[in-house]
Amino acid sequence: MSGVKLTGVRKTYPNGAEAIRGVDMDIQSGEMIVFVGPSGCGKSTLLRMVAGLEGISDGEISIGDRVINKVSPSERDVAMVFQNYALYPHMTVRGNMSYGLKNRKMPKAEIDARVEEAAKMLKIDAYLDRQPNQLSGGQRQRVAMGRAIVREPQVFLFDEPLSNLDAKLRVQMRIEIKKLQRRMNVTSIYVTHDQTEAMTLADRLAVINEGRVEQMGAPMELYTNPRTLFVASFIGAPQINLIPVQFDGTHLVNGGLSLAGFADLPRDTDLVLGVRPDTLSVDAGGQFSVRVDLVEQHGGENLIYGGVTAAKDAEGEELEICLKADKEMLPSIDDSLTLGFDPATAFVFRKDTGERLK
Amino acid sequence: MTGSKIITHLILICGAIFMTLPVWVAFASSTHAPETLLREGLQIWPGGHFLETYNEVLFVEGGVMKKVTAMQMLGNSMILGVGFAVGKVVISMLAAYAIVYFRFRLAVPLFWVIFLTLLLPLEVRIIPSYKVVADLGLLDTRAGLIVPLIASATGTFFFRQFFRSVPDELLEAARLDGATAWGFFKDILVPLSKTMIAAILIIMFVVGWNQYLWPLIMTTKEENYTLVIGIKQIYQVLSEGGELPQFQKAFALTILATLPPVMVVLIFQNWFVKGLVESEK
Amino acid sequence: MKRVQFEHSPLPYLFIAPQIIIIVIFFLWPAGQAIYQSFLLEDAFGLSSKFVWFRNYKDTIFSDAWLQAAGFTIVFSTIVTVLSLGLALLLAVKANEVLQGARTYKTLLMWAYAIAPPVAGLMGNLMFNPLVGDMYKFMNAIGFDFDHKLDPWDASFVVILISVWKQVSVNFIFFLSGLQGIPNSVIEAATMDCKSSFRRFWTITFPLLAPTTFFLMVINITYAFFDTFGIIDTTTQGAPGGATNTLVFKVYQDGFRGADIGGSSAQSVVLMLMVLALTVIQFRFIEKKVHY
């Protein structure tokens, strides 16, 4: 097994558009890295550059000790699982899995052995002689994985492999991918825009925004200690509450809303306060009150959405706050709740640069 | 059945009769003796001379033409139809593959060269085309007959369209699987295009079989006549008059020239319709 | 275009070469020759020729015979296009309505596609043959003084009838597939909004068929210009007195029968320009369609 190293990697298209603006990354052998970010952020482009499907304008990518900038995709020793699976529709499952090995002139007996083994591992050994159009979505997904596994590559690349599945299957396959990756211990890069997938699969997460890595680290580290406003707002579901504020020396102020417990922040600068829904609680001695607009019952917990009449959000509308509460907590619409939070768990960012100040 | 339904069926039946009756009458008339036709005109019911007429037309030397039999003409038509269809599919698939899947400097100008052929139907360049083929010594040869016909843009445009609809990821997966340019074409793209190829083969077989103007000016020797060209000759024989005009043979020849392409279209109706409609998009 | 393509290699040139070579030898070179020869005048024995600028154009294009052929071609194309489209549309709409026997109707109405124009021509010619043709007798029996060998109107009638007959099936196939391509939900919504099926057809169905209709118009005009050569050559051969001469048939006649290479070439060039115009119109339209 080998790691993957990206040094100053850039991608500029002939028309001048910059897709990747300098990425440095050191992926350890056997590690599972997830690239996460909104669509168009460059995460797929970066993955495809590792695969060799996109050229590298500047910088260096190496797998193990080998610089692979100029190596053709099939010789990089990587395997990829595509979003739409990209199975060869006219070949059987067996044909799909063995095609790459045949092209490498591998002896037939070994091909068969590898295909059988991978098929058994993925529980698709009963379908080896079927064609892709005779399989369900989940089975096709497994075939696509099988095609990657039989090549026994140095690196697995996953390009949003679960986004074509329905919700239930997606969770199930997510767990299987994780188990499989643990078992095979192959370095993997996984691209997704789904933050739940990212949180659950990753050893380390790379949040990508506008062609740059905003922050890279273990999922919980990014959740509890985001470096920028973007990371804080992208990681975590339900999304973090963001409140535009100004610091007056002792309090964070937004209209009639005034929150104590903050110090050492710049005055006269637009700031954004970030409070996770699960750090808010109903507390008679709390700092502000909301009018309940909607209660969503998720079974194990309730999400309560409410308006803060005294404050405005970034668009100038009434501020809307989300609170994660126990399933017993069932206020009526238009009830007034007083909420509180521990200022130590909240984040403060500069609005203009997104930089975290606290 | 309601009144409007009856009218609908009536219109369709009239249409079907309009499209079918002439050919049926031609067939029925071909099975009568020439005397009957001259005496009574066209026939709606088959007569008793089927074997006699078709045997003479198909197998007897001097039955229709001076030397060549309809059987030989049938063979020539078959070669033209199949050669045209296969040649066209092969040439246009290769060209379309180059255009869609390769980045090369002359891609755009060469695409326009192919596009230009749409502006140059055979009819506007007959005489110089004839000269070129004559200068190359290809008059009365199969190559001279087929090759100039197979390079028009339609087939290339069709496959270009189809290849563009093939998901990009297939090529990417194949490249990761180590497929070469030729390997991807042979292992993935051609098998993937199977039904499209079949549809185009059927249409092109009919188009090739039905070629008229080009074979007409290309072939001077009777033994190279296709059935469709034979039509013109027998018509001349009829109008020049002989002892007794052999109308039943003329009818038999039209039936023979019609039968193979019609059979192909009927047997492969679904593919044919799909191919026809898709290829013109 | 594809996101990923194969790069730099002699392979694409190899793949595209057969087609390009054939096109250059059998399309571009002859077309160039036609343009070149349209400016030359050969002497009576074809031994020498001289450059005469646009004289061939002047002599042929403004000759009575060419103008007559042009006039006939336009009238002929218009009638054939309108009749075969109208008939095919009627049949397609009806075939799309019925459930019983739909497949049989479809087969019977489309199979004539496979018949070659000259074969259709000979068949029609025999039907109208004065010796055996019942159509000939029929036309005279119902009171027409019918003789397509002598009367230009009767000759035109025969040519138009056969040309329409031959073209109905192609139009039918395209109209039917166009009709089947209209989503069922749209038809159902229209049924709820509008009671009259006649009105529904002209306000909903027909506008949705517009792309098909336009495309077929171009196809039919091209057909009437070029592909009817085989029909004319096996029926009237332009007779009587050039009354059924189309422009294409005249190019062939002047070039091969009359051996007037310069004049025939000049006519070819004019035809090329007409095809160019048709193609431009067609692609203008397709581009528009893409932007929708």
Side-chain angles (χ1 to χ4, degrees), chain A residues 48 74 88-90 99 151, chain B residues 172 174-177 187 191-192:
Chain A
R48 293 162 56 79
S74 60
Y88 309 123
H90 59 290
Y99 185 63
R151 301 194 32 197
Chain B
E172 298 175 359
R175 291 196 69 184
L176 286 167
D177 271 341
D187 295 335
L192 211 59

Side-chain angles (χ1 to χ4, degrees), chain B residues 68 74 77-78 89-92 94 100 103 114 139 146 172 190 211 213 226 247 263:
Chain B
V68 73
L74 199 86
S77 284
M78 204 56 100
V89 165
V90 170
I91 282 202
S92 50
L94 287 174
V100 175
R103 199 169 297 153
I114 295 171
L139 289 181
I146 295 170
E172 298 175 359
V190 171
Q211 284 297 316
L213 180 56
T226 63
F247 283 107
M263 290 312 289

Side-chain angles (χ1 to χ4, degrees), chain A residues 32-107:
Chain A
M32 179 127 183
I33 295 290
V34 175
F35 293 173
V36 65
S39 62
C41 71
K43 57 189 188 300
S44 276
T45 309
L46 197 56
L47 183 83
R48 293 162 56 79
M49 286 163 82
V50 176
L53 298 170
E54 299 270 0
I56 300 164
S57 310
D58 198 9
E60 222 176 67
I61 299 181
S62 45
I63 295 178
D65 300 328
R66 188 165 69 128
V67 176
I68 50 154
N69 282 37
K70 296 262 182 277
V71 179
S72 83
S74 60
E75 280 149 23
R76 291 188 177 195
D77 212 0
V78 299
M80 184 152 163
V81 179
F82 292 85
Q83 175 171 3
N84 63 6
Y85 319 138
L87 298 179
Y88 309 123
H90 59 290
M91 291 184 188
T92 59
V93 170
R94 189 189 298 278
N96 267 284
M97 288 168 70
S98 56
Y99 185 63
L101 304 181
K102 275 186 197 148
N103 283 329
R104 291 184 183 177
K105 312 263 183 292
M106 187 178 283

Side-chain angles (χ1 to χ4, degrees), chain B residues 1-12, chain C residues 94 97-100 105:
Chain B
M1 236 189 241
T2 62
S4 76
K5 254 193 178 171
I6 292 172
I7 291 172
T8 299
H9 279 277
L10 220 57
I11 291 172
L12 286 171
Chain C
K94 295 301 168 193
E97 275 174 21
V98 293
L99 299 172
Q100 281 166 320
Y105 285 130

Side-chain angles (χ1 to χ4, degrees), chain A residues 163-208:
Chain A
S163 54
N164 281 5
L165 298 177
D166 64 47
K168 194 177 154 204
L169 210 50
R170 192 150 53 202
V171 175
Q172 192 186 328
M173 285 307 295
R174 189 172 82 201
I175 295 165
E176 283 193 38
I177 289 180
K178 181 79 183 173
K179 281 199 224 157
L180 203 69
Q181 199 268 338
R182 278 279 129 80
R183 195 160 107 207
M184 300 186 59
N185 200 27
V186 178
T187 315
S188 302
I189 305 177
Y190 187 108
V191 164
T192 181
H193 63 267
D194 180 321
Q195 69 93 30
T196 316
E197 241 171 63
M199 293 287 284
T200 50
L201 280 172
D203 291 327
R204 278 195 298 155
L205 259 178
V207 178
I208 298 179

